[in-house]
Amino acid sequence: MTYAQLRLDSGRYLAGLRQGVNLTQAGLAKAVGYDYYTFISQIENGRVQLPEDKWLTFAKVLKVDPKEFAAKMLSFLHPLPYALLFKNERKHNEWLEKLEPGT
């Protein structure tokens, strides 16, 4: 698994949450304070990552627990720190082993 794939997976996760609360990309962009929906599109397509300073805002708008949202985003966007934090959980160690080094 590459970092590019993880970024794409984070975008798919975000898109699923967005659709779950019946928001369009434009609606989400407006709700979180972005002027253009294209930034949401770029996140969902894995071209850019969601800035960490927006995680809480997105969690609130998408109606998910902020801690769970942050942990999920951390797993996609910062896999090594995530794995270190959750190293005692077998599923996270298995996931880390699948990550290709240097990608």
Side-chain angles (χ1 to χ4, degrees), residues 34-52:
Y34 288 126
D35 292 328
Y36 304 101
Y37 80 91
T38 53
F39 190 66
I40 303 300
S41 176
Q42 290 174 335
I43 294 168
E44 290 183 1
N45 287 301
R47 297 193 197 297
V48 298
Q49 67 183 36
L50 177 61
E52 294 166 12

Side-chain angles (χ1 to χ4, degrees), residues 64-88:
V64 294
D65 177 73
K67 289 182 181 181
E68 290 178 22
F69 184 79
K72 192 72 167 175
M73 296 307 291
L74 188 65
S75 74
F76 292 125
L77 304 175
H78 302 288
L80 183 56
Y82 176 80
L84 292 172
L85 287 169
F86 299 103
K87 67 181 178 178
N88 292 327

Side-chain angles (χ1 to χ4, degrees), residues 89-101:
E89 296 184 28
R90 183 174 167 219
K91 66 181 179 177
H92 302 303
N93 288 335
E94 290 173 355
W95 171 86
L96 183 62
E97 290 173 5
K98 295 178 185 176
L99 186 65
E100 296 173 12

Side-chain angles (χ1 to χ4, degrees), residues 14-63:
L14 188 67
L17 292 176
R18 175 182 58 75
Q19 292 164 356
V21 294
N22 296 314
L23 283 174
T24 62
Q25 289 178 343
L28 178 57
K30 182 177 180 181
V32 298
Y34 288 126
D35 292 328
Y36 304 101
Y37 80 91
T38 53
F39 190 66
I40 303 300
S41 176
Q42 290 174 335
I43 294 168
E44 290 183 1
N45 287 301
R47 297 193 197 297
V48 298
Q49 67 183 36
L50 177 61
E52 294 166 12
D53 64 341
K54 288 288 196 176
W55 289 4
L56 180 59
T57 302
F58 271 74
K60 288 179 180 180
V61 169
L62 296 170
K63 299 179 181 168

